[in-house]
Amino acid sequence: MCFSPVRDERRTAARERWTATRRRHRVIMVEGPEVQMSFWPLAANTRSVARARRLTRDRLAAWGMENVTDVAELLVSELVTNALCHAHGPVGLTLSAVEGLLRCEVEDAGTVLPSAYCAGHDDEGGRGLCLLDTLACCWGGTRTPTGKVMWFELPARTPSAH
């Protein structure tokens, strides 16, 4: 099975940490000594997947978070690809880090949140949410007034975050 109660507990714990940290620092996702954040609009074409990977790799290098670059690139690539395949309109990528926790968000104009299932051996698709569940400490989706945001978080200790 892709989804387990243990992973659900880790997701809940990480989500609570993120919320508590944002509340403690009165964070509204702005750049500062405790919070690092970057946002990029992405064109609605397939070249945006490679651009999202490159932006993620470059930003994590600048933040000293190279230890999670490969996983973050893979998961960002998956979310951007899904946004381009299943939603129409603008796509946005936001990366933010606070206290050693990396949060990646992909926003699109689609209103349908994906449903999780495990793909069969012969299925060509349907593995994205299993990848998220396996590799991210937590992930989810939230509806917005203009569509939805799919997100995931990774523990990414930086040299200054002990």
Side-chain angles (χ1 to χ4, degrees), residues 41-56:
L42 300 172
N45 62 53
T46 56
R47 288 187 305 263
S48 290
V49 178
R51 180 171 183 247
R53 283 193 305 266
R54 187 182 71 254
L55 291 168
T56 299

Side-chain angles (χ1 to χ4, degrees), residues 86-147:
H86 302 292
H88 301 286
V91 175
L93 170 62
T94 302
L95 302 179
S96 51
V98 61
E99 290 189 358
L101 186 65
L102 173 68
R103 183 176 176 103
C104 302
E105 300 177 351
V106 174
E107 184 173 2
D108 64 52
T111 58
V112 178
L113 293 173
S115 54
Y117 73 96
C118 289
H121 293 293
D122 295 332
D123 292 343
E124 290 191 22
R127 290 175 178 77
L129 295 182
C130 285
L131 282 172
L132 281 170
D133 193 60
T134 300
L135 299 174
C137 67
C138 60
W139 64 272
T142 305
R143 286 189 175 89
T144 68
T146 58

